[in-house]
Coordinates of all heavy atoms in Angstrom, one line a residue:
M1 N -19.0 16.2 1.1 CA -17.7 16.8 1.5 C -17.9 17.5 2.9 O -18.9 18.1 3.1 CB -17.3 17.9 0.5 CG -16.7 17.3 -0.8 SD -15.3 16.2 -0.5 CE -14.3 16.7 -1.9
P2 N -17.0 17.3 3.8 CA -17.1 17.9 5.1 C -16.9 19.4 5.0 O -16.3 19.9 4.0 CB -15.9 17.3 5.9 CG -15.0 16.8 4.9 CD -15.8 16.4 3.7
E3 N -17.5 20.1 5.9 CA -17.4 21.6 5.9 C -16.1 22.0 6.7 O -15.7 21.3 7.6 CB -18.6 22.2 6.6 CG -19.8 22.1 5.8 CD -21.0 22.8 6.4 OE1 -20.7 23.7 7.2 OE2 -22.1 22.5 6.0
L4 N -15.6 23.1 6.3 CA -14.4 23.6 7.0 C -14.8 24.1 8.3 O -16.0 24.6 8.5 CB -13.8 24.8 6.2 CG -13.0 24.3 4.9 CD1 -12.7 25.6 4.1 CD2 -11.8 23.6 5.2
P5 N -14.0 24.0 9.4 CA -14.4 24.5 10.7 C -14.7 26.0 10.6 O -13.9 26.7 9.9 CB -13.1 24.3 11.5 CG -12.3 23.3 10.8 CD -12.7 23.4 9.3
A6 N -15.8 26.4 11.2 CA -16.2 27.8 11.1 C -15.2 28.8 11.6 O -15.0 29.9 11.1 CB -17.5 28.0 11.8
H7 N -14.4 28.3 12.7 CA -13.5 29.3 13.3 C -12.2 29.3 12.6 O -11.3 30.0 13.0 CB -13.3 28.8 14.8 CG -12.7 27.5 14.9 ND1 -13.5 26.3 14.9 CD2 -11.4 27.1 15.0 CE1 -12.6 25.3 15.0 NE2 -11.4 25.7 15.1
W8 N -12.0 28.4 11.6 CA -10.7 28.3 11.1 C -10.4 29.4 10.1 O -11.1 29.6 9.2 CB -10.5 26.9 10.4 CG -9.1 26.6 9.9 CD1 -8.1 26.3 10.7 CD2 -8.7 26.6 8.6 NE1 -7.0 26.1 9.9 CE2 -7.3 26.3 8.6 CE3 -9.3 26.9 7.3 CZ2 -6.5 26.2 7.5 CZ3 -8.5 26.8 6.2 CH2 -7.1 26.5 6.3
K9 N -9.3 30.1 10.3 CA -8.9 31.1 9.4 C -7.5 30.7 8.8 O -6.6 30.4 9.5 CB -8.7 32.5 10.1 CG -10.0 33.0 10.6 CD -10.1 34.4 10.2 CE -11.4 35.1 10.7 NZ -12.3 34.3 11.5
R10 N -7.5 30.7 7.5 CA -6.2 30.3 6.8 C -5.2 31.4 6.9 O -5.4 32.5 6.6 CB -6.5 29.9 5.4 CG -5.3 29.4 4.7 CD -5.6 28.7 3.4 NE -4.4 28.1 2.9 CZ -3.5 28.6 2.1 NH1 -3.7 29.9 1.7 NH2 -2.4 28.0 1.7
L11 N -4.0 31.0 7.4 CA -2.9 31.9 7.4 C -2.0 31.6 6.2 O -2.0 30.4 5.8 CB -2.1 31.7 8.7 CG -2.9 31.9 10.0 CD1 -2.0 31.6 11.2 CD2 -3.4 33.3 10.1
D12 N -1.2 32.5 5.8 CA -0.4 32.3 4.6 C 0.7 31.2 4.9 O 1.1 30.5 4.0 CB 0.4 33.6 4.3 CG -0.6 34.6 3.5 OD1 -1.7 34.1 3.1 OD2 -0.2 35.7 3.4
S13 N 1.0 31.1 6.2 CA 2.0 30.1 6.5 C 1.4 28.7 6.7 O 2.2 27.7 6.8 CB 2.7 30.4 7.8 OG 1.8 30.6 8.9
D14 N 0.1 28.6 6.7 CA -0.5 27.3 6.8 C -0.6 26.5 5.5 O -0.9 27.2 4.4 CB -1.9 27.4 7.4 CG -1.9 27.7 8.9 OD1 -0.9 27.4 9.5 OD2 -2.9 28.2 9.4
P15 N -0.4 25.2 5.5 CA -0.7 24.5 4.2 C -2.2 24.4 4.0 O -3.0 24.5 4.9 CB -0.1 23.1 4.5 CG -0.2 23.0 6.0 CD -0.1 24.4 6.6
P16 N -2.6 24.2 2.8 CA -4.1 24.1 2.5 C -4.6 22.9 3.1 O -3.9 21.9 3.2 CB -4.1 24.1 1.0 CG -2.8 23.6 0.5 CD -1.8 24.1 1.5
L17 N -5.9 22.9 3.5 CA -6.6 21.7 4.0 C -7.1 21.0 2.8 O -8.2 21.4 2.3 CB -7.7 22.1 5.0 CG -7.2 22.8 6.2 CD1 -8.4 23.1 7.1 CD2 -6.2 22.1 7.0
D18 N -6.4 20.1 2.2 CA -6.7 19.5 0.9 C -7.0 18.1 1.0 O -7.1 17.4 -0.1 CB -5.5 19.8 0.0 CG -4.2 19.3 0.5 OD1 -4.2 18.7 1.6 OD2 -3.2 19.4 -0.2
L19 N -7.2 17.5 2.2 CA -7.5 16.1 2.3 C -8.7 15.9 3.2 O -8.7 16.1 4.4 CB -6.3 15.4 2.9 CG -6.5 13.8 3.1 CD1 -6.6 13.1 1.8 CD2 -5.3 13.3 4.0
P20 N -9.9 15.5 2.6 CA -11.0 15.1 3.4 C -10.8 13.8 4.1 O -10.5 12.8 3.4 CB -12.2 15.1 2.4 CG -11.6 15.0 1.1 CD -10.1 15.2 1.2
L21 N -10.9 13.8 5.4 CA -10.6 12.6 6.1 C -11.9 12.0 6.7 O -12.7 12.8 7.4 CB -9.7 12.9 7.3 CG -8.9 11.8 8.0 CD1 -8.0 11.1 7.0 CD2 -8.0 12.4 9.1
E22 N -12.2 10.8 6.5 CA -13.4 10.1 7.0 C -13.0 9.2 8.2 O -12.1 8.4 8.0 CB -14.1 9.3 6.0 CG -15.0 10.1 5.0 CD -16.4 10.2 5.5 OE1 -17.0 9.2 6.0 OE2 -17.0 11.3 5.4
V23 N -13.5 9.4 9.4 CA -13.1 8.6 10.5 C -14.4 7.9 11.0 O -15.4 8.5 11.1 CB -12.5 9.4 11.6 CG1 -12.0 8.5 12.7 CG2 -11.4 10.3 11.1
T24 N -14.3 6.6 11.2 CA -15.4 5.8 11.8 C -15.1 5.4 13.2 O -14.0 4.9 13.5 CB -15.7 4.6 10.9 OG1 -15.9 5.0 9.6 CG2 -16.9 3.8 11.5
C25 N -16.0 5.7 14.1 CA -15.8 5.3 15.5 C -15.9 3.8 15.6 O -16.8 3.1 15.2 CB -16.9 5.9 16.4 SG -16.8 5.4 18.1
D26 N -14.8 3.2 16.3 CA -14.8 1.7 16.4 C -15.9 1.2 17.4 O -16.2 0.1 17.4 CB -13.4 1.3 17.0 CG -12.4 1.2 15.9 OD1 -12.7 1.2 14.7 OD2 -11.2 1.2 16.2
T27 N -16.4 2.1 18.2 CA -17.3 1.7 19.3 C -18.8 1.8 18.8 O -19.5 0.8 18.9 CB -17.1 2.5 20.5 OG1 -15.7 2.5 20.9 CG2 -18.0 2.0 21.7
C28 N -19.1 2.9 18.2 CA -20.6 3.1 17.9 C -20.8 3.2 16.4 O -21.9 3.2 15.9 CB -21.1 4.3 18.6 SG -20.5 5.9 17.9
G29 N -19.7 3.2 15.6 CA -19.9 3.3 14.1 C -20.2 4.6 13.6 O -20.4 4.8 12.3
R30 N -20.3 5.6 14.4 CA -20.5 7.0 13.9 C -19.3 7.4 13.1 O -18.2 7.1 13.4 CB -20.7 7.9 15.1 CG -21.1 9.3 14.8 CD -21.3 10.1 16.1 NE -22.1 9.3 17.1 CZ -22.5 9.8 18.3 NH1 -22.2 11.0 18.6 NH2 -23.2 9.0 19.1
T31 N -19.6 8.2 12.1 CA -18.5 8.7 11.2 C -18.3 10.2 11.4 O -19.3 10.9 11.7 CB -18.7 8.4 9.7 OG1 -20.0 9.0 9.3 CG2 -18.8 6.9 9.5
G32 N -17.1 10.7 11.3 CA -16.8 12.1 11.3 C -16.0 12.4 10.1 O -15.3 11.6 9.6
S33 N -16.2 13.7 9.6 CA -15.5 14.1 8.5 C -14.7 15.4 8.8 O -15.2 16.3 9.5 CB -16.4 14.5 7.3 OG -17.2 13.4 7.0
F34 N -13.4 15.3 8.5 CA -12.5 16.4 8.8 C -11.7 16.8 7.6 O -11.3 15.9 6.8 CB -11.6 16.1 9.9 CG -12.3 15.5 11.2 CD1 -12.4 14.2 11.4 CD2 -12.9 16.4 12.1 CE1 -13.0 13.7 12.5 CE2 -13.5 15.9 13.2 CZ -13.6 14.5 13.4
W35 N -11.4 18.1 7.4 CA -10.5 18.5 6.4 C -9.1 18.6 7.1 O -9.0 19.3 8.1 CB -10.8 19.9 5.8 CG -11.9 19.8 4.8 CD1 -13.2 20.1 4.9 CD2 -11.6 19.5 3.4 NE1 -13.8 19.9 3.7 CE2 -12.9 19.5 2.7 CE3 -10.5 19.1 2.6 CZ2 -13.1 19.3 1.4 CZ3 -10.7 18.8 1.3 CH2 -11.9 18.9 0.7
V36 N -8.1 18.0 6.5 CA -6.8 18.1 7.0 C -5.8 18.4 5.9 O -6.2 18.4 4.7 CB -6.3 16.8 7.7 CG1 -7.2 16.5 8.9 CG2 -6.3 15.7 6.8
S37 N -4.6 18.8 6.2 CA -3.6 19.0 5.2 C -3.0 17.6 4.9 O -2.5 16.9 5.7 CB -2.5 19.9 5.8 OG -1.2 19.6 5.1
R38 N -3.0 17.3 3.6 CA -2.4 16.0 3.2 C -0.9 15.9 3.6 O -0.5 14.8 4.1 CB -2.5 15.9 1.6 CG -2.1 14.6 1.0 CD -2.3 14.6 -0.5 NE -3.6 14.9 -0.9 CZ -4.6 14.0 -1.1 NH1 -4.3 12.7 -1.0 NH2 -5.8 14.3 -1.5
A39 N -0.2 16.9 3.4 CA 1.2 16.9 3.8 C 1.4 16.7 5.3 O 2.3 15.8 5.7 CB 1.9 18.2 3.3
R40 N 0.6 17.4 6.1 CA 0.8 17.2 7.5 C 0.2 15.9 8.0 O 0.7 15.3 8.9 CB 0.1 18.4 8.2 CG 0.8 19.6 8.1 CD 0.4 20.7 9.0 NE 1.2 21.9 8.8 CZ 1.2 23.0 9.6 NH1 0.3 23.0 10.5 NH2 2.0 24.0 9.3
F41 N -0.9 15.4 7.4 CA -1.4 14.1 7.7 C -0.3 13.0 7.5 O -0.1 12.1 8.3 CB -2.7 13.8 6.9 CG -3.3 12.4 7.2 CD1 -4.0 12.2 8.4 CD2 -3.0 11.4 6.4 CE1 -4.5 11.0 8.7 CE2 -3.6 10.1 6.7 CZ -4.3 9.9 7.8
T42 N 0.3 13.1 6.3 CA 1.4 12.1 6.0 C 2.5 12.2 7.0 O 3.0 11.2 7.5 CB 1.9 12.4 4.6 OG1 0.8 12.4 3.6 CG2 3.0 11.4 4.2
A43 N 2.9 13.5 7.3 CA 4.0 13.6 8.3 C 3.6 13.0 9.7 O 4.4 12.4 10.3 CB 4.3 15.1 8.5
W44 N 2.3 13.2 10.1 CA 1.9 12.7 11.4 C 1.8 11.2 11.3 O 2.3 10.5 12.2 CB 0.5 13.2 11.7 CG -0.1 12.5 12.9 CD1 0.3 12.5 14.2 CD2 -1.2 11.6 12.8 NE1 -0.5 11.7 14.9 CE2 -1.4 11.1 14.1 CE3 -2.0 11.1 11.7 CZ2 -2.4 10.2 14.4 CZ3 -3.0 10.2 12.0 CH2 -3.2 9.7 13.3
S45 N 1.3 10.6 10.2 CA 1.2 9.1 10.1 C 2.6 8.5 10.1 O 2.7 7.3 10.4 CB 0.3 8.7 8.9 OG 0.9 9.1 7.7
Q46 N 3.6 9.2 9.6 CA 4.9 8.7 9.6 C 5.7 9.1 10.9 O 6.9 9.0 11.0 CB 5.7 9.1 8.4 CG 5.1 8.6 7.1 CD 5.7 9.2 5.9 OE1 6.5 10.1 5.9 NE2 5.3 8.6 4.7
R47 N 5.0 9.6 11.9 CA 5.5 10.1 13.2 C 6.6 11.1 13.0 O 7.6 11.2 13.7 CB 6.1 8.8 13.9 CG 5.0 7.8 14.2 CD 5.6 6.5 14.8 NE 4.7 5.4 14.8 CZ 3.8 5.3 15.9 NH1 3.9 6.1 16.9 NH2 3.0 4.3 15.9
R48 N 6.4 12.0 12.0 CA 7.4 13.1 11.8 C 6.9 14.4 12.4 O 7.6 15.4 12.4 CB 7.7 13.2 10.3 CG 8.6 12.1 9.8 CD 9.1 12.4 8.4 NE 8.1 12.2 7.4 CZ 7.6 13.2 6.7 NH1 8.0 14.4 6.9 NH2 6.7 12.9 5.8
M49 N 5.6 14.4 12.8 CA 5.0 15.7 13.3 C 4.0 15.3 14.4 O 3.2 14.4 14.2 CB 4.3 16.4 12.1 CG 3.7 17.7 12.5 SD 2.9 18.6 11.1 CE 4.3 19.5 10.5
P50 N 4.1 16.1 15.5 CA 3.1 15.8 16.6 C 1.7 16.2 16.1 O 1.5 17.1 15.3 CB 3.6 16.7 17.7 CG 4.5 17.7 17.1 CD 5.0 17.1 15.8
M51 N 0.8 15.4 16.7 CA -0.6 15.6 16.3 C -1.1 17.0 16.5 O -1.9 17.6 15.7 CB -1.5 14.6 17.1 CG -2.9 14.5 16.6 SD -3.7 13.0 17.2 CE -4.7 12.7 15.7
Q52 N -0.8 17.6 17.6 CA -1.3 19.0 17.9 C -0.8 19.9 16.8 O -1.5 20.9 16.6 CB -0.7 19.5 19.3 CG -1.0 18.6 20.4 CD 0.1 17.6 20.7 OE1 0.3 16.7 19.8 NE2 0.8 17.7 21.7
E53 N 0.3 19.7 16.2 CA 0.8 20.6 15.2 C 0.2 20.2 13.8 O -0.2 21.1 13.1 CB 2.3 20.4 15.1 CG 3.1 21.6 14.6 CD 4.6 21.4 14.7 OE1 5.1 20.9 15.8 OE2 5.3 21.6 13.7
A54 N 0.1 18.9 13.6 CA -0.4 18.5 12.3 C -1.9 18.9 12.1 O -2.3 19.3 11.0 CB -0.2 17.0 12.1
F55 N -2.6 18.8 13.2 CA -4.1 19.1 13.1 C -4.4 20.2 14.1 O -5.3 20.1 14.9 CB -4.9 17.9 13.5 CG -4.5 16.6 12.7 CD1 -4.3 15.4 13.3 CD2 -4.3 16.7 11.3 CE1 -3.9 14.3 12.6 CE2 -4.0 15.6 10.6 CZ -3.8 14.4 11.2
A56 N -3.6 21.3 14.0 CA -3.8 22.4 15.0 C -5.1 23.1 14.8 O -5.6 23.7 15.8 CB -2.7 23.4 14.7
H57 N -5.8 22.9 13.7 CA -7.1 23.6 13.5 C -8.2 22.8 14.0 O -9.3 23.3 14.1 CB -7.3 23.8 12.0 CG -7.3 22.5 11.2 ND1 -6.2 21.7 11.0 CD2 -8.3 21.9 10.5 CE1 -6.5 20.6 10.3 NE2 -7.8 20.7 10.0
L58 N -8.0 21.5 14.5 CA -9.0 20.7 15.0 C -9.0 20.8 16.6 O -8.0 21.1 17.2 CB -8.9 19.3 14.6 CG -9.0 19.0 13.1 CD1 -8.7 17.5 12.8 CD2 -10.3 19.4 12.5
S59 N -10.2 20.5 17.2 CA -10.3 20.5 18.6 C -9.7 19.2 19.2 O -9.4 18.3 18.5 CB -11.8 20.6 19.0 OG -12.4 19.4 18.7
G60 N -9.4 19.2 20.5 CA -8.8 18.1 21.1 C -9.6 16.8 20.9 O -9.0 15.8 20.5
P61 N -10.9 16.8 21.2 CA -11.7 15.6 20.9 C -11.7 15.2 19.5 O -11.7 14.0 19.2 CB -13.1 16.1 21.3 CG -12.9 17.2 22.3 CD -11.6 17.9 21.8
D62 N -11.7 16.1 18.5 CA -11.6 15.7 17.1 C -10.3 15.0 16.8 O -10.2 14.0 16.1 CB -11.8 16.9 16.2 CG -13.3 17.3 16.2 OD1 -14.1 16.6 16.7 OD2 -13.5 18.4 15.7
R63 N -9.2 15.5 17.4 CA -7.9 14.9 17.2 C -7.9 13.5 17.8 O -7.3 12.6 17.2 CB -6.8 15.8 17.8 CG -6.4 17.0 17.0 CD -5.1 17.6 17.4 NE -5.1 18.1 18.7 CZ -5.3 19.4 19.0 NH1 -5.5 20.3 18.0 NH2 -5.2 19.8 20.2
E64 N -8.5 13.4 18.9 CA -8.5 12.1 19.6 C -9.3 11.1 18.8 O -9.0 9.9 18.7 CB -9.2 12.3 21.0 CG -8.9 11.1 22.0 CD -7.4 10.9 22.2 OE1 -6.6 11.9 22.4 OE2 -7.0 9.8 22.1
F65 N -10.4 11.6 18.1 CA -11.3 10.7 17.3 C -10.4 10.2 16.1 O -10.4 9.0 15.8 CB -12.4 11.6 16.7 CG -13.5 10.9 16.0 CD1 -13.5 9.5 15.9 CD2 -14.6 11.6 15.5 CE1 -14.6 8.8 15.3 CE2 -15.6 11.0 14.8 CZ -15.6 9.6 14.7
I66 N -9.6 11.0 15.5 CA -8.8 10.6 14.4 C -7.7 9.6 14.9 O -7.4 8.6 14.2 CB -8.1 11.8 13.7 CG1 -9.1 12.7 13.0 CG2 -7.0 11.4 12.7 CD1 -8.6 14.0 12.5
K67 N -7.1 9.9 16.0 CA -6.0 9.1 16.5 C -6.5 7.7 17.0 O -6.0 6.7 16.7 CB -5.3 9.8 17.6 CG -4.0 9.1 18.1 CD -3.3 9.9 19.1 CE -4.0 9.9 20.5 NZ -3.1 10.5 21.5
S68 N -7.5 7.7 17.9 CA -7.9 6.5 18.6 C -9.2 5.9 18.0 O -9.6 4.8 18.4 CB -8.2 6.8 20.1 OG -9.3 7.7 20.2
R69 N -9.8 6.5 17.0 CA -11.1 6.0 16.4 C -12.1 5.8 17.5 O -12.9 4.9 17.5 CB -10.8 4.7 15.6 CG -9.9 5.0 14.4 CD -9.9 3.8 13.4 NE -9.1 4.2 12.2 CZ -9.7 4.7 11.2 NH1 -11.0 4.9 11.1 NH2 -9.0 5.0 10.1
T70 N -12.1 6.8 18.4 CA -13.2 6.8 19.4 C -13.8 8.2 19.3 O -13.1 9.2 19.5 CB -12.6 6.6 20.8 OG1 -11.9 5.3 20.8 CG2 -13.7 6.6 21.9
C71 N -15.1 8.3 19.0 CA -15.7 9.6 18.8 C -15.9 10.3 20.2 O -15.8 9.6 21.2 CB -17.1 9.4 18.1 SG -18.4 8.8 19.1
P72 N -16.0 11.6 20.2 CA -16.1 12.3 21.4 C -17.1 11.8 22.4 O -16.8 11.7 23.6 CB -16.4 13.8 21.0 CG -15.8 13.9 19.6 CD -16.0 12.5 19.0
S73 N -18.2 11.3 21.9 CA -19.3 10.9 22.9 C -18.9 9.5 23.5 O -19.1 9.3 24.7 CB -20.6 10.9 22.2 OG -21.1 9.7 21.9
C74 N -18.3 8.6 22.7 CA -17.9 7.3 23.3 C -16.7 7.5 24.2 O -16.5 6.8 25.2 CB -17.5 6.3 22.2 SG -18.9 5.7 21.3
W75 N -15.9 8.5 23.8 CA -14.7 8.8 24.7 C -15.2 9.2 26.1 O -14.7 8.7 27.1 CB -13.9 9.9 24.1 CG -12.7 10.3 24.9 CD1 -12.6 11.3 25.8 CD2 -11.4 9.6 24.8 NE1 -11.3 11.2 26.3 CE2 -10.6 10.3 25.7 CE3 -10.9 8.5 24.0 CZ2 -9.2 9.9 25.9 CZ3 -9.6 8.2 24.2 CH2 -8.8 8.8 25.1
T76 N -16.2 10.0 26.1 CA -16.8 10.5 27.4 C -17.4 9.3 28.1 O -17.2 9.1 29.3 CB -17.9 11.5 27.1 OG1 -17.3 12.6 26.4 CG2 -18.4 12.1 28.5
D77 N -18.1 8.4 27.4 CA -18.7 7.2 28.0 C -17.7 6.3 28.6 O -17.9 5.7 29.7 CB -19.5 6.4 27.0 CG -20.8 7.1 26.6 OD1 -21.2 8.1 27.3 OD2 -21.4 6.7 25.6
T78 N -16.5 6.2 28.0 CA -15.5 5.2 28.4 C -14.6 5.8 29.5 O -14.2 5.1 30.4 CB -14.6 4.8 27.2 OG1 -15.5 4.4 26.1 CG2 -13.7 3.7 27.5
F79 N -14.2 7.0 29.3 CA -13.2 7.6 30.1 C -13.7 8.7 31.0 O -12.9 9.4 31.7 CB -12.0 8.1 29.3 CG -11.4 7.0 28.5 CD1 -11.6 7.0 27.1 CD2 -10.6 6.1 29.0 CE1 -11.0 6.0 26.3 CE2 -10.0 5.1 28.3 CZ -10.2 5.0 26.9
G80 N -14.9 9.0 31.0 CA -15.5 10.1 31.8 C -15.4 11.4 31.0 O -15.0 11.4 29.9
P81 N -15.7 12.5 31.7 CA -15.7 13.8 31.0 C -14.4 14.1 30.2 O -13.4 13.8 30.8 CB -16.0 14.8 32.1 CG -16.6 14.0 33.2 CD -16.1 12.6 33.1
N82 N -14.6 14.6 29.0 CA -13.4 14.8 28.2 C -12.5 15.9 28.8 O -12.9 17.0 29.1 CB -13.9 15.2 26.8 CG -12.8 15.1 25.8 OD1 -11.7 15.7 25.9 ND2 -13.0 14.2 24.8
P83 N -11.2 15.5 28.9 CA -10.3 16.5 29.5 C -10.0 17.7 28.6 O -9.6 18.7 29.1 CB -9.0 15.7 29.7 CG -9.1 14.5 28.7 CD -10.6 14.2 28.6
Y84 N -10.4 17.6 27.4 CA -10.1 18.7 26.4 C -11.3 19.6 26.4 O -11.2 20.8 25.9 CB -9.9 18.2 25.0 CG -8.7 17.3 24.9 CD1 -8.9 15.9 24.7 CD2 -7.4 17.7 25.0 CE1 -7.8 15.0 24.6 CE2 -6.3 16.9 25.0 CZ -6.5 15.5 24.8 OH -5.5 14.7 24.7
A85 N -12.5 19.2 26.8 CA -13.7 20.0 26.6 C -13.7 21.1 27.6 O -13.1 21.1 28.6 CB -14.9 19.1 26.8
Ligands
LIG1 ZN1 -18.6 6.5 19.1

């Protein structure tokens, strides 16, 4: 099971992070594990919620990993220094 982000503090208004998400990089095959909200993940996958809002607790590179299946290090190799870093 992935660990919760160390900096993440649950607010009463936030939904629980109840869905462990496994992402595999299409380029190098590395996998990443993230906890997300099942309700927000569903909303995002149905294009009902912007990614920044659905995965507000994740960093930019981690969101990009989930969206494009390119891990932060391959992203840097392909597109240069990460604009979010
Ligand atoms: Zn990769």
Side-chain angles (χ1 to χ4, degrees):
M1 285 301 219
E3 290 185 19
L4 289 168
H7 63 274
W8 188 73
K9 294 230 181 1
R10 183 166 190 270
L11 303 174
D12 284 347
S13 58
D14 283 340
L17 301 180
D18 54 1
L19 177 67
L21 198 61
E22 281 268 318
V23 186
T24 304
C25 175
D26 280 344
T27 306
C28 70
R30 188 177 313 185
T31 57
S33 303
F34 308 98
W35 277 103
V36 299
S37 154
R38 188 180 300 270
R40 289 192 177 188
F41 179 78
T42 303
W44 168 70
S45 62
Q46 296 173 350
R47 301 172 189 275
R48 287 189 284 111
M49 183 179 269
M51 189 162 217
Q52 304 90 294
E53 205 176 311
F55 309 132
H57 61 294
L58 297 178
S59 67
D62 285 348
R63 286 198 292 265
E64 200 57 48
F65 192 2
I66 293 171
K67 186 176 74 173
S68 64
R69 295 189 174 271
T70 301
C71 75
S73 106
C74 288
W75 181 266
T76 304
D77 290 348
T78 308
F79 300 105
N82 196 298
Y84 302 108

